[in-house]
Amino acid sequence: MKISSLNKDGKIIEYNVILTYHSEKYNKHYMVYTDNKYNEKHELILYISEYNYENLENDVKEIENKEEYNEIKLEIDKILLNIKQEQEKL
């Protein structure tokens, strides 16, 4: 799945959605996505945002609460690690 966003210059940027996640604790939906760029360690840069799964086109927003962001990031890191480990078994 792909999503698009306008950057500061008004240019449309496309992102690939890696996974979606629902938190029971916060009763919110989140997505992990990338613009396929890598950091200096050659790791894929990932972004996490809250989204409205009923209206994805108009309601993707930054997670403003730092504690919430850190908890969701930890959960998503666990999921991604599990996926990586399962792929290595193949």
Side-chain angles (χ1 to χ4, degrees):
M1 175 167 58
K2 291 188 182 277
I3 59 170
S4 299
S5 177
L6 290 176
N7 70 7
K8 295 175 188 174
D9 301 325
K11 181 180 175 186
I12 296 175
I13 307 294
E14 277 201 345
Y15 298 92
N16 292 314
V17 176
I18 305 297
L19 66 88
T20 59
Y21 173 76
H22 179 262
S23 168
E24 297 289 330
K25 178 177 180 178
Y26 294 104
N27 194 29
K28 295 180 183 177
H29 294 270
Y30 304 89
M31 72 168 57
V32 178
Y33 55 99
T34 182
D35 55 2
N36 297 310
K37 294 183 181 175
Y38 292 83
N39 64 20
E40 60 279 347
K41 296 179 184 178
H42 306 287
E43 299 167 327
L44 185 63
I45 299 170
L46 300 176
Y47 306 97
I48 303 170
S49 292
E50 178 185 340
Y51 79 101
N52 178 343
Y53 75 98
E54 294 174 346
N55 189 4
L56 180 59
E57 290 183 19
N58 296 318
D59 202 4
V60 175
K61 57 187 173 182
E62 184 177 337
I63 304 169
E64 295 178 3
N65 181 297
K66 196 74 164 169
E67 181 181 331
E68 176 184 352
Y69 176 85
N70 289 334
E71 286 182 31
I72 297 304
K73 183 178 183 314
L74 183 62
E75 288 299 313
I76 288 174
D77 284 347
K78 288 178 190 177
I79 293 168
L80 292 173
L81 181 60
N82 285 337
I83 291 170
K84 181 180 178 184
Q85 289 171 342
E86 288 299 316
Q87 287 179 339
E88 289 173 351
K89 290 180 184 179
L90 299 176

